[in-house]
Amino acid sequence: MSTTTEAVIRKLLWLAKEERITLGVTRLVKLLYLADVDYVRRFCQRLTDLDWVFYHYGPYSFKLESVLGQSLAEREEIP
């Protein structure tokens, strides 16, 4: 996973903490996906190196499991 992807994840987690927003796994994945889509629309290049697939009714990247340390399906909230 690229340092840019990790930086985006850290930034989203920091912003959620600053705003006192509970950021569960599903919300984190959707925010990452929407950030990637918006960046492509604006700059015609990818923001992250995540490979997005349609999985269980929404966007998902299996690369996220390696970053977060365990299966996302087992986690409910990011500390």
Side-chain angles (χ1 to χ4, degrees):
M1 179 154 317
S2 73
T3 56
T4 303
T5 301
E6 292 173 4
V8 171
I9 292 170
R10 280 195 300 273
K11 183 69 172 184
L12 286 172
L13 293 173
W14 181 81
L15 287 170
K17 185 177 180 179
E18 285 293 308
E19 296 295 324
R20 295 186 175 118
I21 297 171
T22 302
L23 191 60
V25 173
T26 301
R27 187 177 285 180
L28 174 63
V29 171
K30 288 182 179 184
L31 287 172
L32 283 168
Y33 175 75
L34 291 173
D36 220 3
V37 168
D38 188 56
Y39 197 84
V40 168
R41 286 182 182 159
R42 291 175 187 235
F43 303 107
C44 297
Q45 62 185 21
R46 301 279 307 272
L47 177 62
T48 69
D49 65 344
L50 299 172
D51 300 319
W52 296 106
V53 295
F54 186 75
Y55 186 75
H56 287 287
Y57 309 107
Y60 187 75
S61 177
F62 290 97
K63 286 184 179 181
L64 288 172
E65 291 177 6
S66 65
V67 170
L68 299 177
Q70 64 185 28
S71 174
L72 292 178
E74 297 173 7
R75 295 178 67 118
E76 292 188 12
E77 291 190 7
I78 306 295

